[in-house]
Amino acid sequence: MYQSKIAGMGYYVPKNIYSNDDLTRFMDTSDEWIQERTGIKERRFADRTEETTTTMAIEAAEIAISRAGVTAQDIDFIVFATLSPDYYFPGCGVLLQREMGMREIGALDVRNQCSGFIYALSVADQFIKTGTYKNILVVGSEKHSFAMDFQTRSRNVSVIFGDGAGAVVLQPTQDNHSGILSTHLHSDGADAEILAMYYPGAHANKWLKNKPSFPDQELGGLFLTSEQLESGAALPYMDGPAVFKKAIVKFPEVIREALASNNLSEKDIDLLIPHQANLRISQYVQKLLGLRDDQVFNNIQKYGNTTAASVPIALCEAWESGKIHTGDLVCLAAFGSGFTWASALIRW
Ligand code: ACO
């Protein structure tokens, strides 16, 4: 069995910066409300026509591949995590393969929202461990701005999210003391509808409490009707307080699980990189785990919540700013829609 190591990483955020004050041009909100509840000061939004989830992923991937000392031709598998794909299908993995001129390698799309990158990393880790692949590109990328509603009715959601991408290249290492020590994945679908986008979808309203009426026809027409579009049912829905309550339980739980399975404890963590859901969630988790400020990395203030991209963007930014050293114990953790939650422990 091999051990996997992160051989290179990169991130990309769009140039367009939208401050909290900028959002007040579209909806009834304020810098004070947003900063107090979420810690966010500004976020990046992709160019509406030039940039997509795939193009941002390519920007991040090119940096990661070059830092790993390989070329796009050397990549032998792609794992792409996103909830905002360019097309409903096919997924972004094949678009990235095509646009980067890669060989006819496997491209797997992961749909685990905020936990997507750690789920993707875990899948890649298994393929490296078994010796199946030698250079796996793992990507998290999101273009939330195209699907969010910037009217006051959706302000609890649209002030939180931003666009961006992060990528890593995983390679095998013979050194059993460094690299990915373990990954831990969980789910509980009991509350699947409280952080979700219901349409377009094939559920035919089966799980929804407030059901928009069905079109009067024998077949088809349920996937996305004009009535659903007009009623806002095709927009992301979030019960913020319920998400907060669950997140502050599952984040510490999955971090402690990773530590316990490696006979380590909170004091051994050199850097915790939590999914950037909300600065208040990160601060609460830090307090529950008894971690110092220098043991936790946050950058949501600048980028908002970039869902599957937030962990690789934060990991790369922390590394670029000299916060990760050889031998450090780095813990990645995420919680999000599903609910799903996950962690990865890495010896750098
Ligand atoms: N600007 C101004 N007022 C707002 C805004 C806004 N952007 N959004 C909501 N409000 C108002 C509401 O209308 C409501 O007004 P009312 O009392 O007159 O009805 C009031 O603020 C409180 O609304 P709540 O939704 O109860 O706001 P809350 O204080 O819970 O804060 C928030 C909302 C920030 C989303 C909070 O619930 C939270 O942090 N939840 C965690 C969820 C989260 O962070 N999700 C991130 C994505 S999921 C993930 O990554 C895990």
Side-chain angles (χ1 to χ4, degrees):
M1 288 283 267
Y2 298 89
Q3 184 108 339
S4 324
K5 67 165 189 199
I6 293 179
M9 55 188 150
Y11 77 95
Y12 172 80
V13 286
K15 290 179 186 57
N16 300 329
I17 301 175
Y18 280 76
S19 68
N20 293 340
D21 281 336
D22 288 332
L23 296 187
T24 64
R25 289 194 277 126
F26 309 97
M27 63 185 89
D28 178 13
T29 189
S30 68
D31 178 48
E32 190 191 5
W33 192 98
I34 300 169
Q35 283 211 50
E36 191 183 305
R37 305 281 205 301
T38 70
I40 298 166
K41 295 180 187 206
E42 59 190 36
R43 74 285 293 142
R44 305 293 181 101
F45 288 145
D47 184 284
R48 283 174 72 76
T49 55
E50 295 299 318
E51 292 184 310
T52 72
T53 295
T54 303
T55 69
M56 291 189 289
I58 291 169
E59 299 277 354
E62 281 173 346
I63 300 168
I65 289 170
S66 139
R67 283 177 173 161
V70 294
T71 69
Q73 287 298 310
D74 297 313
I75 298 298
D76 43 20
F77 196 62
I78 301 163
V79 194
F80 197 126
T82 187
L83 70 67
S84 49
D86 294 16
Y87 302 132
Y88 189 82
F89 72 85
C92 288
V94 298
L95 302 180
L96 182 136
Q97 181 272 342
R98 177 182 73 187
E99 298 304 316
M100 293 192 77
M102 290 170 167
R103 291 176 291 126
E104 293 178 351
I105 55 173
L108 175 69
D109 291 274
V110 166
R111 294 197 42 172
N112 285 80
Q113 296 69 250
C114 303
S115 312
F117 180 79
I118 301 181
Y119 265 73
L121 191 73
S122 178
V123 171
D125 183 38
Q126 313 312 314
F127 278 125
I128 295 281
K129 278 197 171 108
T130 54
T132 310
Y133 298 120
K134 291 193 168 54
N135 285 292
I136 305 185
L137 179 66
V138 185
V139 187
S141 182
E142 304 284 2
K143 184 180 173 184
H144 286 306
S145 53
F146 84 109
M148 285 194 304
D149 175 32
F150 289 91
Q151 299 178 56
T152 297
R153 65 178 180 175
S154 300
R155 62 185 176 176
N156 70 319
V157 173
S158 46
V159 299
I160 291 180
F161 295 93
D163 300 339
V168 304
V169 173
L170 270 201
Q171 288 177 352
T173 170
Q174 304 286 6
D175 176 4
N176 286 338
H177 303 292
S178 70
I180 298 179
L181 304 181
S182 62
T183 58
H184 306 268
L185 310 180
H186 294 279
S187 73
D188 175 3
D191 291 320
E193 283 75 25
I194 73 171
L195 178 51
M197 195 168 119
Y198 310 127
Y199 296 96
H203 51 77
N205 301 327
K206 185 171 162 68
W207 314 106
L208 303 184
K209 287 196 185 93
N210 301 317
K211 301 178 179 187
S213 59
F214 285 172
D216 184 19
Q217 58 193 57
E218 188 175 337
L219 284 172
L222 297 175
F223 193 69
L224 182 61
T225 64
S226 52
E227 185 199 354
Q228 288 152 4
L229 266 180
E230 277 157 27
S231 71
L235 295 170
Y237 171 80
M238 177 174 78
D239 177 346
V243 173
F244 199 105
K245 276 187 209 144
K246 191 89 171 180
I248 58 170
V249 173
K250 294 302 174 188
F251 262 113
E253 203 174 280
V254 79
I255 293 165
R256 287 192 169 121
E257 180 187 355
L259 292 167
S261 76
N262 291 280
N263 296 316
L264 294 163
S265 70
E266 287 87 331
K267 67 174 173 22
D268 297 311
I269 295 179
D270 292 297
L271 200 61
L272 169 66
I273 300 179
H275 158 55
Q276 301 293 294
N278 179 324
L279 189 61
R280 305 301 160 229
I281 293 177
S282 292
Q283 289 168 333
Y284 206 93
V285 171
Q286 176 182 340
K287 201 168 134 206
L288 289 173
L289 294 172
L291 300 176
R292 303 181 306 273
D293 286 351
D294 64 287
Q295 287 176 288
V296 185
F297 186 80
N298 289 301
N299 62 6
I300 191 171
Q301 301 90 328
K302 293 189 291 181
Y303 304 132
N305 178 335
T306 56
T307 313
S310 95
V311 169
I313 291 175
L315 175 65
C316 189
E317 199 173 74
W319 177 77
E320 284 182 4
S321 58
K323 291 189 191 322
I324 302 177
H325 313 96
T326 304
D328 278 358
L329 186 71
V330 176
C331 182
L332 311 180
F335 172 87
S337 159
F339 291 123
T340 64
W341 56 102
S343 62
L345 210 53
I346 305 169
R347 180 68 70 188
W348 213 260

